[in-house]
Amino acid sequence: MPHRLANTMTPNLSPEVRQIIERVLQLEKDRLDRKKNTPINDDILKIIKEVVG
């Protein structure tokens, strides 16, 4: 589900960039819900590689 902030504050982004932002926002939300404090960089890199190809 798209994050509302990503839609309202970034209307001119490409679909790929928008998808990366939405997935990173969801990842961070999930991590906060689980109180998981592990490094997030590898997860963000994985998302970028999946979207960009």
Side-chain angles (χ1 to χ4, degrees):
M1 173 188 295
H3 191 277
R4 209 171 32 166
L5 180 63
N7 288 331
T8 59
M9 303 219 24
T10 56
N12 298 322
L13 294 179
S14 71
E16 294 85 1
V17 173
R18 185 180 305 276
Q19 183 180 7
I20 291 169
I21 292 170
E22 290 169 354
R23 289 181 62 185
V24 170
L25 285 171
Q26 185 61 48
L27 173 66
E28 184 61 18
K29 181 185 178 303
D30 292 345
R31 291 166 51 80
L32 289 172
D33 289 346
R34 286 189 243 130
K35 295 180 174 61
K36 187 175 178 183
N37 292 325
T38 58
I40 193 172
N41 293 344
D42 291 337
D43 295 329
I44 293 173
L45 183 58
K46 180 181 173 189
I47 289 170
I48 293 170
K49 287 181 177 180
E50 287 173 2
V51 172
V52 174

